[in-house]
Amino acid sequence: LALAGTALGKAVTKLAMPIRYLAHYFMTVGRVLFHPTKFFAGMRHEGGLVFPLFFAIGTHWLASFLSFFWKSPVLRMMKEGLRDGVELWRGFGSDFSQIDSPGRHAESTLPPEAWTKLRELVLPWLWGSSSVLLDPFTSLAMLLITSMLIFVAARVLIDSESPIRWGATLRLVCFASTPILWSIIPVAGAVIAPVAIVATTTIALVEMYRTNYLRSEEHTSELQSHHD
């Protein structure tokens, strides 16, 4: 019975782990979305990058997956419009190629079969669900580039002597990109999400450098008092 109870306890613990991780994830999302000032004021600047990166990439993928359901009809309409535009341009090019000019006797447009194959290859990747599949890679690239740009700009414009490193800025950007979840709101989310990300990132930067400044002041005061 003791062995059975131990095995049951281990099984329950293993089952509870994913639930615990999900609860922690959604608690973090709620704090960033609705209490960003409090969240970033208490966020540690130093630490690992694995959790922030997985958090951000997972959040971006979730937003991309859920928003795909409302974007898909809109993109389908855009695809139809693009296809009509391609057909119109191809017809125009075909008519234009009939006009002879000195030094030009070759056709200026691709054969119809080539246009068809091009559409079949390119359009599904541009407008289809492949954008959701590629989202983790595009999100990772965006996070790395954005954090580097913010880090350099902060060093130049705010405090060139700050001890804050690029890793801390990357952690900040990972959590500050959480408002991408607002993109799941049909149509309006495409505008709300980027605005919210900019606002949250600004709050995060202010809190990070303010906290760093206060800590530096406290450390200086302690050294002075100890010296006295």
Side-chain angles (χ1 to χ4, degrees):
L1 291 176
L3 293 175
T6 303
L8 180 61
K10 290 182 178 179
V12 171
T13 302
K14 289 182 179 180
L15 290 174
M17 288 292 288
I19 298 175
R20 192 182 310 167
Y21 286 135
L22 284 175
H24 178 61
Y25 170 79
F26 284 110
M27 285 178 60
T28 305
V29 168
R31 291 175 61 196
V32 176
L33 290 181
F34 302 109
H35 305 285
T37 302
K38 186 176 180 181
F39 175 82
F40 288 105
M43 190 185 80
R44 293 188 300 112
H45 299 165
E46 298 79 17
L49 297 174
V50 176
F51 174 72
L53 283 172
F54 272 96
F55 176 87
I57 292 173
T59 301
H60 277 255
W61 183 86
L62 180 63
S64 179
F65 176 75
L66 295 178
S67 62
F68 176 76
F69 292 101
W70 71 261
K71 288 180 180 178
S72 182
V74 176
L75 294 177
R76 192 178 299 114
M77 293 174 59
M78 294 175 64
K79 183 177 71 172
E80 294 295 329
L82 179 60
R83 184 172 61 185
D84 294 342
V86 169
E87 294 291 343
L88 181 62
W89 176 259
R90 191 178 68 179
F92 173 77
S94 179
D95 293 339
F96 184 75
S97 64
Q98 302 300 321
I99 303 175
D100 194 16
S101 62
R104 189 198 64 186
H105 300 284
E107 291 288 334
S108 61
T109 58
L110 292 174
E113 298 79 7
W115 281 105
T116 303
K117 290 182 179 180
L118 182 63
R119 289 200 307 268
E120 291 176 351
L121 289 173
V122 175
L123 292 182
W125 281 98
L126 291 177
W127 311 110
S129 58
S130 57
S131 60
V132 178
L133 300 177
L134 294 174
D135 186 80
F137 303 100
T138 57
S139 297
L140 177 60
M142 182 273 296
L143 292 169
L144 295 175
I145 294 172
T146 302
S147 61
M148 182 57 69
L149 292 176
I150 291 178
F151 174 72
V152 173
R155 280 300 182 96
V156 173
L157 300 176
I158 300 177
D159 186 4
S160 60
E161 301 298 327
S162 173
I164 295 175
R165 297 293 179 259
W166 173 70
T169 307
L170 179 58
R171 286 169 57 85
L172 178 148
V173 170
C174 286
F175 290 110
S177 65
T178 303
I180 191 68
L181 288 171
W182 293 123
S183 64
I184 66 177
I185 301 175
V187 184
V191 177
I192 296 174
V195 172
I197 289 174
V198 171
T200 304
T201 303
T202 303
I203 293 172
L205 282 170
V206 169
E207 292 302 321
M208 183 173 70
Y209 278 90
R210 177 186 296 170
T211 303
N212 179 70
Y213 174 77
L214 292 176
R215 287 177 180 173
S216 299
E217 288 294 312
E218 291 175 359
H219 182 64
T220 303
S221 300
E222 289 176 1
L223 290 177
Q224 289 177 350
S225 61
H226 180 72
H227 179 72
D228 294 340

